[in-house]
Structures are given as structure tokens and as C-alpha cells.
Amino acid sequence: MREAIEARREFLKKLGIVGAGVVVCGSLGLPKAQASSRKRLKDKIKIGHIAIFSGPFGTYGELQKRGSMLAAEEINKVGGIQGSKVEIIYKDSRAKPAEAVKQVRRLVESEGADFIIGIDSSGVVLGVAQVMPELKKLLIVTHAATHKLTEELVYKKGNKYAFRLSVPTYQDGTMAAITAAQLPAKRWACVHPDYEYGYASWELFKATLKKLRPDVQFVGESWAKIGTTDFKPFISSILDKKPDGIHTVEWGVDLFTFVRQAKEMGLFDAVRYKDGYAWINPMGYSIDAMEALKKEYPEGCWVSGRYLWQYPPTELNEKFVKAHYRRWGHLPAYSGATSYTAVYLIKHLIELTQTLDVETHIKTLENLAIYSPIGEMLIRKEDHQAIYDVPFGQIKHDPKFPIPVLKNFLGMPAYMYFRRPPFTETPPYTGYPPFMSL
Amino acid sequence: MEAIFFQILVGLSTAMLYWVVSVGLTFIFGVTRVLNFAHGSFYMLGAFFALALFKWTNSFVLSIALGSLAVGVVGLLCERGVIRFTYSLPVAFQLVLTFGLVLIFEDLVRFIWGSVPQMIRPLGLGVVTIAGRRFPIYSFVIMGTGLFLWIILYFLLLETKLGLMIRATISDIELAMANGINPHLLYAFSFFFGSFLAGLGGALTLPMCSASLGMGERIIIYSFIITVMGGLGNIKGAFMSSLIIGISESLCAFFMPSLTIAISYVILALVLVVKPEGIYGEA
Amino acid sequence: MFFRVENLTKKFGEFTAVNNVSVSFEKNVITAIIGPNGAGKTTFVNLCSGLLKPTNGYIFFNGEDITNYKIHKRASLGIARTFQIVNIFQGLSVWENVKIPLLSRKNTRDIDNTITKLLTFFKLENIRYTTSSEISHGDQRLLEMCMALALNPQLLFLDEPLAGINPQDRGVIIERIVEMKRSGITVIFIEHDIESVLKMADEIIVMHKGEIVAKGPSSSIKENDFVKEIYLGGC
Amino acid sequence: MERLSNKFLFFVLTSILLLTFALPLLSGAYTNYIIIKISILSLYAVAFNIMFGYCGLLSFGHAIFFSASAYTLGVSLTKLNLPIFVALLAGLLTSVIFSIIVGFLSLRHKEIHFAMITLALSMLFWGVVMKWRSVTGGEDGITGISRSISMIAYYYICIITVLSCLFIIYKIIFSDFGLLLEGIRENEIRVEFSAHSVVKLRMLAMIISGLFTGIAGILWAFLDGAVTPTIAHWSFSAVPVIAALIGGPQSFVGPIIGTIVYVIAEDFITRFTLYWQIWLGIVVVLIVLFFRGGIVGTIAKVVSEFYHSKLREKYREREN
């Protein structure tokens, strides 16, 4: 185990990135005795967890809660963080920036939270990240994907208090396009939710795909507002453009509706090729969608997430998935895994630095390599983005599992497809395509 | 050309669903003069009730029927329990009161069914090919329900004694009372029937999409738009404006996909600025 | 010509309430409009004061065509009116009721004095701070007239100023109306009580089925056969 | 009675005022933040109530004026880099312009029609905000509006601005203009026959209402340093409606009380549970049912009844 981490660190060093340290996030952490021998910093370490708990996307709060609560329970079972119990306070952001900011202020200023984690949507994360310097606490984002957070707020404007453990829209746009480039489809169309996340993903997708495959065409766009219950008008207008590939970043309850209606109206059949469907749905492998749709999601579609429970095939991940399943009766969702990692990251951060001083924490986190259930990550210094890769895979219905699984993983090292400072060039970078052998 | 025809057909099925839900709101407003904000919650309840019943009975028709009737009863209880005490207050108070009900129902559903959206397995009615494109047969079921409702309402309002009572109440409540109509009975019935329709709409969507939290908030805005556009309390108007909204959204998705989000508001604003009492005027 | 209407017509769907009426009114004359129920008297006043838009015809005031003027424009020209059913600000005090029309004057410097004067004129000064819904019906009638007068009108329409007033209180109102004429206001009023009409009016117009069937000084109208038949017959 | 309640009210207000000014010295940062929020929303609710409580027009479009000024400020500061005073003026001007436009389109109509037209226009505005991404930033909104002073300083700025605005609104409402508005609410036709143009008066009221709503919007934009489309959404138009109805639209302090009650109830509930909706819903339902006509109206009624019954008792004693 140790060796693996060291090897990874060597590898990162070769890239020219000097890691300040390596921490292991997960139940394989430092031995108990070593931890409790150190001094207690505080009676209770309080972590404020902000997510959407009400309304149509209330699921996402629930999924995150499973992760962070599991981590807190595991940590508390072995004596907490150097003897201090971890307490997680959950707050509902209602997907409204102003409400989330209010909750963050309350968590920090009134309820004594030491860290803030969570946050689901891009508008909310931009609003919250902005007040963190004033509050002088760390924000660890575990779901919101907007690259504006890391590229603009952190890198360009120098907001040092926000970090992100989940993949940004590079997964939804760039990696999606890299996957798309491997498929025979040439006429791509999109069905996206009508807001920033949809636009950003589609723009990245188009730019990357055009670079890799100058022969493709983008034939149609469809923008369905969040909460659409009837996708038929959008599907039929897209069908009319005769696409042979579909890129969609629909998620949550809209995805369920969309897949069901697309199947009925033959959108999948339109994008069929010999080995599956030219159907790229970056957030398709979300546990809620898989549990709801099950076999309705056609086999052979290309989907991904911000983490997949099957990947990486490490001992740490396996332990996490099993623990999660035991505790909740569900497989872990991507935002659950990132929240789990975030809580462990906080534990190790405190143990590593022996302080609650936020400036020290920031310095330590920058260029920190993390070994977690999600995989090996490096927190990039410039933009505070955790760099890790998540592959795409094809849906496969396997009776052994309660939900569909993924096959034929297609992945690439994250440093090749994550945009790099100063964020002007379109990935993928050098040496395309060195796919990872999985 | 074929594409446009198909788009209109698709819009029709959307419109009929809007119609089923918003006619309930229109009906309640016509009789009681209450703008029921909780109407969307009843729509959501319809979906969740039908979902629960479907798991239990495994019969879609039965679960729709029982589910929407149960929603009707919930509507009745709300009216008898809470809303009737506010008939004497201005419309705005009823809006706020029913907004309170919306909050309560949202959390009750979250408490009982959890926040994960749920689906039932598709009915598997299949598709027909129209104009070279596939069209789900289930959409015809919705259209049929809508048209059937239109006929039933016409029959109900024009031919039955109850219809006469309703029309009398809509046109002049005091005169109706003087003629021995018990308005409270009628108010209770209108809430039962209106909520039943909302529940029916919610249950009908189940094979197409999912039962989820917040689905009421999305439909209530459409119901308001349609009810207001057609003329408050005007059932014919609700039918027409459902068609206008449904079809124009569908066409907008074809011609200007990125403006679909705003098209219904544009239409509503235009209609109201020109004709504030709605297309057919207030009932 | 002070106030004149030409071919004034108002139709409500099929029903013609006022049919092609042309009539003129002299300055400083009290004119009564009489006629059976549904004769179109109130509709006529509503048309003149701007509450309704005529289907056809013209209205002239001091030589100016005011047919398309809004209510407030007519009111500021000096056309005031009262209603059959008392129409005042029920929730406001008597003082505030009178203040509102006064605020439309260009010069609002001496407003409190003017209110006091007006209230004294109508003998309402003792209840000036009472909420107007709480004062007697007769006082409400007086208040409404007071509000009309506050506009400093040249032309005043009174729609059944005596309706619902018991006989002993009528004297006060009649007295005030006659006094208004003396201060140079032209009064046109609708009234059913023929005795009071004869007491006040200089001229009488008789309306029937939307048309003017007779017009003339009160003494001569009494002798008109048609009038006797359709209206005064009972007396 | 009137005198007594006035004196009492004066006493209460002064002590609240003193407490508000002393508060940053006594309490935590979060309390200050909530008070700023309450004060901004109070101004919003009172400005809204110029239309609702005094003109009798239920507007569901005040989010337009609120967000118009906030967005204009945001755009002028972050994208055009204008000086702050120009940005402030531009923000207020936009609010006024929008209140004229909305007024022009809606003021001919009354009651529920007015409510619905303003709702439609408000959603139209929201659609523009969502779609005009190059300027408004779409769903993400505009971030990075720098306040460049500390929270405590901002606290005082907010409190002073809001109080002076409230004072001005109070003066307007209890002026002759306010009397005319009240007259319109009571009896529109009579106002017309009193030679006032109702439409013109309403337009003036709309502009005043829009202007003060705009001020609230600007204060809001600076508070979190961000403007997002949620403040243009119709549900944000409903915020002052709820506040006014809970507190009592017929009185000046009603919307303020309503805001305080709603914000504090919400804050209290979300402190303990993620199931905040059901509790808040119950609170709202109970208030509507048991404080018919709003908290202030009901309390005033109860107090005056109590007072009258005391008087009656006294008379009875004397008679005995």
C-alpha cells in the first residue's frame, strides 16, 4: 500500500509537481494508536455540509449525506480526529445561492463549523466561495462542477479558500468528447438542461471533439428547462436533424424522464452503431438514475459520473463500497464518495498539520496527493482542483447486481484532459490517445 | 411540413395533460373564487398515490382511479379543514394559506416516500408511426382522457342538476343561496372534483416520467398561466389556452429551442396586456 | 351655449338606454330630469359625467368637445356629480373625504380653511373627524354634495339627491341645492319626488325610453299631456 | 386609545432602534447578518406594500425592480468598471424605468388581472435574465460585486439607509399623496370624480414603490456580493406578499413585522431540522387562520377590544 503511494508520488514528481504530502482518505488510514497519541485540538470538530435537501433535486443532498455521515461514523468509531468527535451539520441550500450563503454564515459564525463541504449547483458554489475569504474557513466542494469556480474564482481572482474534490465540467465536456471521438458517429446533437452547466458542457464538448475529429458535424441543439416532464417536443425536433450521436448532460429526475421518453420515441435507435449507442451521458451513471431506470437504460450507452463505484479497482474503494452498501443498502453515488473523501481529507489535514489554522491548511492542501476510494488525486496548486480521472463505460445489465454495471471502460489520465492553467488551450494535451489500461 | 405536423401532435398530448390539471384549478376558482396554490401539490400527490397503489395492486388503471380519488378526498379535507375559513378574506390571503399547504405537502411526501424520484415500470403500450416518426400510444391515452373530460364537463355543466347549481353559483352566489343552494356543499364538491383532476393529471404522468418532489411547483405555474390566459374560472378558456401553450411550446422546441423556457410567459404577457380578462373573459 | 349634447346614444347590446338625445343647458339654471324607471336618466348623467362612453354623439362643455375626455379631466373642467347610492370614501373621515377633491386644485395653500368653510356650509363641521361610514345617511348625502362642491364646479349633476332621506331632512338638502344655484353653479338633477322637483327646478326635462319627450319651465311641463299620462298621471 | 398606542409605539420603536444600533457590539456576526437581511427585506416589503396596502394592487412583479437595480449595479461594477456612484444611480434609474414600463402595461388593470400581468411580466424578465448570458451571466449570475468595507460598517450603512427610506415612505404615505392612494383603494371612481387621474396617481405610486424596491435590491447585491436569477424569479416576488399578509397590509409596520416573523421563524426552524418546510408551512397556515388580516391588525384589534372592555367595566363599576 505504502509503496503504491510512494510510486504515485514519484510519478507526480516526474510531472514537475512537487507534492507537499500524501494522505490516505478512507478506512485504511493511519493506525489508531498513532492518532490518539496526539493532543486534542478541540472538543468537537464541526463540519457544515450544505446540499440540496428539498425539492426535485433533494436526492442529491441525501446521496451526499450518506457519504459524509458514513465517514464521520467510521472516524468517530476509532476515536475521532485526535480524540475530538466529528460532527456534521447538514443544511438545505434549496438550490438558492442567497440561502446557501446564509446557511454558510450561520454554520461558521453561529454554529461554530470549522469546515464547509458539499454544495450542488454552480450558481450556489460561486456565491458561497465568494464569502469564504471573509469567513476564513475552508470550502471543499464535492459536487458542483462549474469550471468557473477553479478557473476564474481561484486561479484568476486568487480566492484561496475554495477547493474541489469532484471533477469539473471537463468530465462532462472534454472527456465526453474524447469518448465520442472513438465512436463512428459523425453527426452530433445535444439535449441539455437549459442553464449554465448545459452550455458549458456543450461548448467544451464541441471544442474538443472538433479538435480530435475535424470530420464531425454538430447538427442540432435542444435546451429543455430544468423540471421538464415532457421531452417529446425536444426529442422529435432533435430526431428531425438526423443525428447519429447524442451528447446529453441531463441529470437527476430530468434524466429519468428523458431516457424513458427517448427510448419510446426511438432516439436511441437513431444513434445505434454496431457495438452500442453513440449516446454520451457524462452524469448518466448516477446511482439515483440507475436505481430508478434499471433496465430501462439501454445496454451499450456511454455513461460516466464524477466517480464510479467500480473504479478504481483498489482495495480502498472496495472497502468503501462495501461499507456504504452495508450502512445504507445502496451503492455509493459520486457525490457520496466525494463527500466521504472530503471528511477523511479534513481528518488527515488536521492530523498532518496539528492545527485548525486555515492558512496552514490551504498551504498543505496545495499540491497534496490524496489516495482515496475515488482514486489517486492531486490537488493542483493553481486552481485548487483535485486532479483525478473517471473513465466512461458502457452500460451492461448484470443480474448479479441490483443496478446496471459498466463495461468497456474508456479512460485517460486526468492531467491529459483536465484543462491546465492558464486555461486557454483546449485539451486533450500531448500524446493523444494514451488510454489507460483498466 | 411533416415535422411541423408531428410537432403539433406532440404538443397536443402535452396540452391535454395541462388541460386536465388546469381545468381543476379553473373549476375550483370558478366556484369558490379561491386561487389554490396547493393544486400543484395535489398533482404531486396523485403521482405518489398512484405509485404506491401500483406497487400494491399492480394494475395501472386501478391505481390511477383510486389514486386520484384519494387526492380528491385530500382536497376535500383541506377545504373543510382549512381553506373554508378564509373564504371571507381577500384572494391574496388564500394564496398565502395554500402556499403554506404546499410546504406541508412537500415535506410530508419527502417524509413518506423519501427524496429519491420514483418510477413505475413502463406500461409497454408501444408506439405507432405517424408521419415517419414514432409516437407513443400512451400519449393517445392522455389525449383521450382530456377529450373525454371535455365532454364530461360539458355534460356535467349543461345537462345535470349539479351543473345547473354550479353555473348558478358561478354567476351569482347570493342569488343561488336565495334559491336554496347550499354553497358549502358545492364548495366542498368543487374542491373534491378539482383536486381529483389534479391527482388524475399527476397519476397520468407516471408512465411517462417519475413521481418526484417539486413536480407540483412546475405544473402549478402552467396551471396558473392557462387558467389566467383563458379567463379565470372559464372552462372553455382553459381548454383553448392549454392548446395554445402546449402547441406553441412544442413548436418553439423545434424552431427556437433555446427560447422554450420563456415562450409561455411571452404568450401570457401578450394576451394579458391586450386582453386582461383572458381570451374568453372571466366566468 | 354652456352645456350641450348632440345625438347622444348609448346602447347596451340590443338595448338602447339613451336614444339620439340632443339637448342644451343654460348657465345658472336648475334643471330636473324626470321620467319613469328605466327611462335612461341615470345613463344620461353617466354619459355626461364620463362614467360611460357614448355609442354615438357628442358632448360639449363651454364650447369644448369633451366626448372623449376621461372622468378626471371632466371633473377638473368643472363637472361634478353625486350618485344615486351614496358614493364616498367610507373608511376615511369626513374631513379627509372633503380634502381629496380639494387636492386637485392647483393652489392648495388654504386648504384647511376651505374644508372648514365647506363643512360649515353643509353643517357637517361637528362630525368632521368621524369616519364617514358611521355618520347618518342624510349626512352622507350632504357629504357627497360637499365633496362635489369642493371641486368648485360650474356644472353639478345630482343623481336622486333625496333618495332614502326621510321627509323632515329633505328640507336641508333642498335648501343647499337652491343656495348652490345662487353661488353660480348650474345644477342638473334626477329626482322622483315631484313635489321636491317643483320646489327646486327652474327647468324640467322628461325622459321616456331613452328619449326626451318634453322640456320646458316647470310650470309648463306640469301641463304637458304626455307627461301627465306617463309620469304625473298618478298625482 | 390612539394617543396611548402612539406613545407605546414610540417607546417600542425607540428601544428597538437603540438596540439595533448597539447590537454589533453585543452580538455575533451572524445575528448582524440576519438583521441586515431583515432590514433589506423589510424595505422591500414596505415598498411593495405601497402598491398592495395603499393602492390595493397585488403586484407579483416586484422582483423585476429588485433584480433590475441589483443586476444593473452588478454589471456596471464588475463588467463596465464604472465608479460606484454612477453604478448606484444607474441601478436606481433602471428600477424606475422598469416600474414605468410595468406600470404602463399593467396599471389599467385591477385586482387579480393586475397580479397576473405583473406575474407574467416578472417571469418574462426572469427569462431575459436567464437567457441574456453575456450580460447577466445566466443561471450563475454575477459574482464579485465588491463591498470593500467590513460587515459591521455595512451593517450601519444598511440600517441607516433602510431607516431613512422607511421614514421617507412613512412621510409619503401620511402625506396628501398617501391620502389620495388610500382614497383610490377605498373608492376609485370617487377619486376620478374628484378630478384626479387614478392611473397617474398609481403610476407615481408604482415609481416610488419601484425606486425603494430598487434600493433594497442594491443593498442586497452588496450583501453577498452576488446577484443570481433567483431574485428575478416570481417566487422572490412572493416574498413581500407573504411578509405583508402575515404582518398585515393595512398598517405601515405590518410588512416589517411580517418580515421579522417569517425570517426568524425560518431561521429558527432550519436550525433544528432539514424538514423545515412542514414546520414553516404550519406556521404560515396558523398565522393566516388565527391572525386574520395580519398580525398587526389582529393585535391592534385585540388591544383595542381589551381597552374597550376595561372602559365598560369602569362604567359598570360607576353605575353600581
Side-chain angles (χ1 to χ4, degrees):
Chain A
M1 180 95 271
R2 281 262 149 214
E3 293 81 68
I5 300 169
E6 285 308 318
R8 184 75 184 163
R9 205 179 170 194
E10 281 308 306
F11 161 72
L12 293 168
K13 266 185 181 160
K14 262 184 227 157
L15 280 174
I17 307 161
V18 184
V22 178
V23 297
V24 181
C25 292
S27 45
L28 291 183
L30 296 167
K32 198 172 160 188
Q34 198 186 342
S36 56
S37 67
R38 296 192 178 133
K39 71 172 182 350
R40 252 168 75 166
L41 287 169
K42 218 181 160 204
D43 194 31
K44 256 184 194 170
I45 304 287
K46 287 185 181 173
I47 300 173
H49 192 156
I50 296 196
I52 306 174
F53 283 97
S54 59
F57 297 102
T59 333
Y60 283 79
E62 219 44 58
L63 297 178
Q64 291 197 31
K65 192 177 167 186
R66 286 181 195 155
S68 60
M69 207 181 216
L70 177 65
E73 283 169 3
E74 283 176 7
I75 291 170
N76 285 339
K77 213 185 279 167
V78 295
I81 303 173
Q82 298 190 12
S84 344
K85 289 263 172 229
V86 179
E87 188 190 337
I88 302 187
I89 310 168
Y90 295 96
K91 295 288 180 210
D92 185 2
S93 76
R94 308 179 201 177
K96 287 182 184 164
E99 178 65 25
V101 169
K102 187 184 114 179
Q103 299 294 359
V104 168
R105 283 186 181 276
R106 176 154 87 193
L107 282 167
V108 173
E109 291 174 344
S110 165
E111 302 187 2
D114 303 297
F115 299 90
I116 301 292
I117 65 171
I119 305 195
D120 294 284
S121 83
S122 65
V124 173
V125 84
L126 294 175
V128 169
Q130 196 173 234
V131 299
M132 297 320 286
E134 192 185 327
L135 298 175
K136 302 231 177 316
K137 295 285 173 202
L138 269 193
L139 168 69
I140 301 175
V141 179
T142 60
H143 185 193
T146 177
H147 56 273
K148 276 191 199 164
L149 173 72
T150 39
E151 289 185 8
E152 281 173 28
L153 227 57
V154 179
Y155 177 71
K156 289 199 185 122
K157 295 193 181 152
N159 182 335
K160 291 284 164 204
Y161 293 82
F163 288 83
R164 173 158 50 206
L165 281 188
S166 52
V167 287
T169 35
Y170 309 146
Q171 184 73 19
D172 313 280
T174 317
M175 190 59 208
I178 292 167
T179 311
Q182 315 309 311
L183 308 178
K186 283 187 183 166
R187 296 169 59 83
W188 286 89
C190 74
V191 178
H192 287 322
D194 194 357
Y195 74 113
E196 293 309 302
Y197 170 57
Y199 310 136
S201 305
W202 180 234
E203 275 152 28
L204 281 174
F205 181 83
K206 280 196 294 189
T208 313
L209 190 55
K210 203 79 204 164
K211 187 176 171 191
L212 297 175
R213 289 272 300 271
D215 59 327
V216 298
Q217 276 180 294
F218 301 100
V219 293
E221 296 176 5
S222 207
W223 304 97
K225 66 168 161 282
I226 296 182
T228 299
T229 47
D230 197 345
F231 278 92
K232 288 197 288 290
F234 302 98
I235 296 168
S236 61
S237 74
I238 278 300
L239 271 171
D240 226 58
K241 310 283 178 353
K242 308 253 181 295
D244 55 7
I246 292 287
H247 178 225
T248 175
V249 293
E250 292 290 349
W251 58 289
V253 59
D254 291 1
L255 178 65
F256 309 179
T257 314
F258 177 52
V259 167
R260 174 168 279 190
Q261 295 177 359
K263 197 175 176 187
E264 234 172 8
M265 296 184 68
L267 188 58
F268 284 102
D269 296 341
V271 298
R272 182 159 194 118
Y273 69 102
K274 69 175 173 24
D275 300 320
Y277 298 95
W279 175 281
I280 307 278
N281 184 195
M283 290 303 119
Y285 203 76
S286 170
I287 292 299
D288 55 326
M290 283 301 130
E291 284 178 346
L293 286 164
K294 295 203 174 85
K295 283 191 178 158
E296 263 186 75
Y297 213 129
E299 260 186 352
C301 290
W302 288 94
V303 297
S304 181
R306 302 193 203 295
Y307 151 83
L308 307 170
W309 63 270
Q310 292 167 278
Y311 180 86
T314 57
E315 191 191 347
L316 196 55
N317 188 24
E318 202 179 296
K319 268 202 150 182
F320 165 64
V321 172
K322 278 186 180 149
H324 191 280
Y325 196 80
R326 254 199 316 279
R327 177 69 178 84
W328 303 109
H330 293 275
L331 290 163
Y334 53 73
S335 48
T338 47
S339 304
Y340 178 85
T341 309
V343 175
Y344 265 103
L345 180 62
I346 287 167
K347 172 178 168 11
H348 293 300
L349 191 59
I350 293 171
E351 285 172 357
L352 204 65
T353 56
Q354 290 299 308
T355 172
L356 282 171
D357 176 51
V358 68
E359 302 299 333
T360 320
H361 284 170
I362 292 171
K363 282 210 184 69
T364 316
L365 276 177
E366 287 176 345
N367 278 351
L368 183 72
I370 304 167
Y371 189 66
S372 79
I374 306 173
E376 298 124 347
M377 315 166 144
L378 174 83
I379 297 181
R380 189 153 62 186
K381 184 175 188 236
E382 290 89 346
D383 63 346
H384 290 183
Q385 170 66 50
I387 314 265
Y388 68 99
D389 53 82
V390 186
F392 269 73
Q394 275 185 302
I395 287 186
K396 168 99 180 132
H397 302 145
D398 189 336
K400 273 186 291 181
F401 293 95
I403 57 171
V405 293
L406 291 185
K407 281 274 168 69
N408 305 331
F409 283 105
L410 193 61
M412 186 186 237
Y415 66 89
M416 299 190 80
Y417 75 88
F418 273 41
R419 280 172 69 168
R420 291 175 191 163
F423 304 111
T424 43
E425 214 184 318
T426 308
Y429 297 103
T430 46
Y432 168 84
F435 284 107
M436 290 167 70
S437 51
L438 303 167
Chain B
M1 202 56 230
E2 272 184 346
I4 294 170
F5 168 75
F6 189 75
Q7 216 63 21
I8 290 174
L9 188 70
V10 165
L12 262 178
S13 75
T14 319
M16 282 302 122
L17 188 67
Y18 290 162
W19 148 252
V20 171
V21 181
S22 51
V23 73
L25 188 73
T26 306
F27 192 81
I28 292 175
F29 183 85
V31 177
T32 66
R33 301 277 128 181
V34 171
L35 261 181
N36 181 18
F37 205 74
H39 200 68
S41 298
F42 295 147
Y43 169 84
M44 174 178 71
L45 280 181
F48 275 99
F49 281 177
L51 181 104
L53 284 163
F54 185 78
K55 281 182 181 160
W56 185 45
T57 63
N58 223 2
S59 153
F60 182 64
V61 177
L62 202 64
S63 54
I64 279 199
L66 291 179
S68 32
L69 279 175
V71 176
V73 173
V74 172
L76 182 73
L77 292 176
C78 282
E79 194 270 343
R80 286 290 92 188
V82 191
I83 296 169
R84 72 179 165 124
F85 299 109
T86 60
Y87 284 141
S88 57
L89 295 175
V91 168
F93 280 97
Q94 292 145 7
L95 271 177
V96 170
L97 178 86
T98 45
F99 166 72
L101 292 179
V102 170
L103 292 177
I104 293 174
F105 281 123
E106 278 285 315
D107 257 6
L108 279 180
V109 168
R110 175 149 66 116
F111 190 72
I112 297 168
W113 282 281
S115 58
V116 182
Q118 298 182 43
M119 301 177 103
I120 61 170
R121 60 176 167 72
L123 294 179
L125 288 182
V127 290
V128 285
T129 307
I130 296 170
R133 292 160 179 83
R134 279 195 242 173
F135 190 72
I137 289 176
Y138 185 71
S139 294
F140 284 119
V141 174
I142 292 180
M143 285 189 212
T145 315
L147 287 175
F148 182 67
L149 185 66
W150 173 233
I151 294 163
I152 286 284
L153 276 178
Y154 241 80
F155 175 75
L156 177 79
L157 287 180
L158 290 179
E159 301 291 329
T160 63
K161 192 171 167 246
L162 182 70
L164 188 70
M165 278 163 66
I166 291 168
R167 279 184 291 144
T169 317
I170 291 177
S171 59
D172 191 338
I173 181 82
E174 273 159 32
L175 198 68
M177 277 163 75
N179 283 312
I181 291 173
N182 181 353
H184 279 284
L185 206 65
L186 212 55
Y187 288 170
F189 170 75
S190 77
F191 260 90
F192 170 76
F193 188 60
S195 315
F196 164 77
L197 291 177
L200 180 66
L204 279 175
T205 56
L206 208 50
M208 304 196 315
C209 40
S210 51
S212 70
L213 289 172
M215 66 191 283
E217 197 198 320
R218 308 172 206 163
I219 200 80
I220 190 68
I221 282 297
Y222 278 105
S223 304
F224 268 22
I225 290 175
I226 286 163
T227 304
V228 171
M229 211 171 103
L232 276 164
N234 190 321
I235 288 173
K236 195 168 142 201
F239 189 75
M240 283 314 290
S241 46
S242 303
L243 289 180
I244 293 173
I245 292 289
I247 292 173
S248 55
E249 268 204 333
S250 176
L251 289 176
C252 193
F254 186 76
F255 290 109
M256 302 168 286
S258 63
L259 291 185
T260 323
I261 201 166
I263 183 75
S264 44
Y265 307 121
V266 175
I267 294 175
L268 177 66
L270 281 178
V271 168
L272 287 189
V273 166
V274 177
K275 228 173 161 227
E277 68 280 4
I279 301 174
Y280 282 100
E282 208 168 304
Chain C
M1 214 52 77
F2 175 62
F3 184 76
R4 177 163 63 93
V5 301
E6 256 176 36
N7 307 337
L8 203 61
T9 304
K10 179 69 191 178
K11 286 183 180 165
F12 296 105
E14 292 292 293
F15 175 69
T16 309
V18 172
N19 190 8
N20 206 20
V21 169
S22 300
V23 65
S24 55
F25 298 88
E26 295 297 331
K27 206 167 177 127
N28 217 3
V29 169
I30 299 185
T31 311
I33 303 176
I34 60 172
N37 281 329
K41 306 182 299 281
T42 298
T43 309
F44 177 72
V45 169
N46 286 347
L47 288 169
C48 294
S49 61
L51 198 62
L52 294 174
K53 281 223 175 309
T55 320
N56 235 327
Y58 300 94
I59 305 165
F60 296 95
F61 182 64
N62 279 333
E64 195 175 346
D65 181 1
I66 61 163
T67 318
N68 292 318
Y69 282 18
K70 296 248 169 58
I71 296 173
H72 65 91
K73 190 83 189 285
R74 298 186 197 205
S76 56
L77 284 177
I79 301 176
R81 74 166 289 182
T82 69
F83 288 83
Q84 197 171 347
I85 298 159
V86 176
N87 191 333
I88 54 177
F89 304 107
Q90 298 278 356
L92 303 184
S93 70
V94 170
W95 180 275
E96 287 168 328
N97 263 284
V98 184
K99 192 169 183 183
I100 285 180
L102 277 172
L103 286 173
S104 70
R105 291 188 182 177
K106 291 275 181 306
N107 180 5
T108 50
R109 235 181 328 131
D110 223 13
I111 207 159
D112 288 358
N113 272 334
T114 320
I115 299 173
T116 317
K117 256 188 236 158
L118 278 164
L119 288 176
T120 319
F121 180 72
F122 283 97
K123 301 195 167 61
L124 294 168
E125 71 275 18
N126 293 330
I127 48 168
R128 62 174 81 164
Y129 296 124
T130 318
T131 309
S132 61
S133 61
E134 286 165 9
I135 63 178
S136 76
H137 185 70
D139 285 344
Q140 288 185 350
R141 283 258 175 238
L142 284 173
L143 175 60
E144 198 184 5
M145 262 185 249
C146 181
M147 289 160 73
L149 209 61
L151 281 173
N152 203 4
Q154 301 179 41
L155 177 61
L156 177 62
F157 288 99
L158 303 172
D159 193 352
E160 300 200 25
L162 301 177
I165 307 291
N166 46 8
Q168 57 265 38
D169 292 343
R170 289 185 175 187
V172 189
I173 294 178
I174 294 173
E175 198 182 295
R176 294 300 104 177
I177 292 173
V178 175
E179 207 156 320
M180 276 188 237
K181 177 198 163 189
R182 251 178 250 144
S183 59
I185 298 168
T186 310
V187 180
I188 299 172
F189 71 99
I190 299 172
E191 190 47 66
H192 279 291
D193 180 31
I194 201 70
E195 262 177 59
S196 316
V197 169
L198 294 175
K199 258 187 233 166
M200 290 184 280
D202 306 322
E203 288 255 345
I204 293 180
I205 287 177
V206 187
M207 284 188 79
H208 182 55
K209 288 186 177 165
E211 285 171 28
I212 292 181
V213 292
K215 180 178 189 279
S218 13
S219 46
S220 69
I221 283 293
K222 259 199 304 192
E223 307 309 319
N224 186 310
D225 288 341
F226 187 69
V227 172
K228 270 184 188 165
E229 189 194 325
I230 63 156
Y231 192 62
L232 301 173
C235 301
Chain D
M1 177 63 210
E2 198 94 310
R3 288 279 156 77
L4 183 91
S5 78
N6 273 348
K7 237 182 209 168
F8 178 69
L9 211 67
F10 181 75
F11 174 72
V12 170
L13 282 179
T14 334
S15 29
I16 289 176
L17 211 68
L18 285 176
L19 198 69
T20 324
F21 276 99
L23 210 67
L25 311 171
L26 307 171
S27 72
Y30 179 67
T31 317
N32 299 341
Y33 178 77
I34 280 295
I35 291 175
I36 297 178
K37 233 174 195 183
I38 288 177
S39 67
I40 295 172
L41 291 177
S42 296
L43 177 59
Y44 182 26
V46 169
F48 156 83
N49 206 39
I50 296 176
M51 293 310 291
F52 182 49
Y54 295 91
C55 292
L57 291 173
L58 174 60
S59 158
F60 263 104
H62 266 59
I64 299 178
F65 318 137
F66 194 92
S67 51
S69 69
Y71 265 101
T72 312
L73 181 90
V75 171
S76 338
L77 284 183
T78 60
K79 306 222 160 134
L80 307 174
N81 294 318
L82 294 175
I84 189 153
F85 286 106
V86 180
L88 287 174
L89 273 180
L92 293 182
L93 196 67
T94 330
S95 279
V96 169
I97 289 171
F98 272 103
S99 51
I100 292 171
I101 294 172
V102 172
F104 179 75
L105 292 173
S106 64
L107 281 176
R108 283 172 297 141
H109 311 305
K110 277 176 285 181
E111 292 164 11
I112 201 78
H113 302 299
F114 177 82
M116 290 304 152
I117 289 187
T118 45
L119 176 72
L121 292 174
S122 153
M123 283 315 280
L124 203 56
F125 185 79
W126 176 80
V128 172
V129 166
M130 287 288 282
K131 281 286 148 196
W132 197 10
R133 291 170 55 221
S134 55
V135 172
T136 62
E139 167 99 4
D140 285 350
I142 297 168
T143 45
I145 302 166
S146 163
R147 158 159 46 83
S148 70
I149 47 170
S150 77
M151 201 51 142
I152 289 184
Y154 193 62
Y155 175 91
Y156 284 112
I157 288 183
C158 268
I159 296 292
I160 290 168
T161 314
V162 168
L163 283 178
S164 21
C165 287
L166 289 180
F167 181 72
I168 296 169
I169 297 175
Y170 183 87
K171 276 289 172 199
I172 291 173
I173 281 181
F174 291 94
S175 70
D176 294 342
F177 176 66
L179 179 64
L180 289 178
L181 292 187
E182 222 173 317
I184 292 176
R185 194 187 62 204
E186 282 273 324
N187 189 340
E188 207 177 300
I189 280 294
R190 212 357 130 191
V191 176
E192 278 277 332
F193 278 112
S194 304
H196 299 283
S197 165
V198 169
V199 172
K200 216 182 267 174
L201 287 169
R202 279 194 174 141
M203 182 61 108
L204 206 56
M206 192 82 160
I207 292 171
I208 293 169
S209 177
L211 176 71
F212 285 106
T213 308
I215 293 176
I218 283 175
L219 292 176
W220 180 276
F222 276 124
L223 178 61
D224 291 337
V227 190
T228 51
T230 35
I231 60 165
H233 195 251
W234 71 265
S235 53
F236 201 76
S237 293
V239 168
V241 179
I242 294 168
L245 288 169
I246 286 179
Q250 308 287 2
S251 68
F252 183 79
V253 288
I256 303 174
I257 303 287
T259 310
I260 294 172
V261 168
Y262 191 80
V263 172
I264 289 181
E266 199 182 13
D267 199 70
F268 185 75
I269 292 164
T270 49
R271 200 168 273 262
F272 295 109
T273 173
L274 281 176
Y275 286 93
W276 55 274
Q277 294 180 93
I278 189 163
W279 298 110
L280 194 62
I282 289 171
V283 168
V284 168
V285 167
L286 290 181
I287 288 178
V288 175
L289 285 184
F290 292 104
F291 290 91
R292 301 169 73 88
I295 296 171
V296 173
T298 311
I299 290 177
K301 213 157 129 199
V302 168
V303 168
S304 85
E305 256 161 39
F306 176 76
Y307 186 77
H308 281 302
S309 69
K310 272 280 164 75
L311 273 186
R312 268 197 296 273
E313 256 169 53
K314 253 184 210 164
Y315 286 133
R316 223 170 287 143
E317 271 167 28
R318 228 177 278 162
E319 274 165 26
N320 291 347

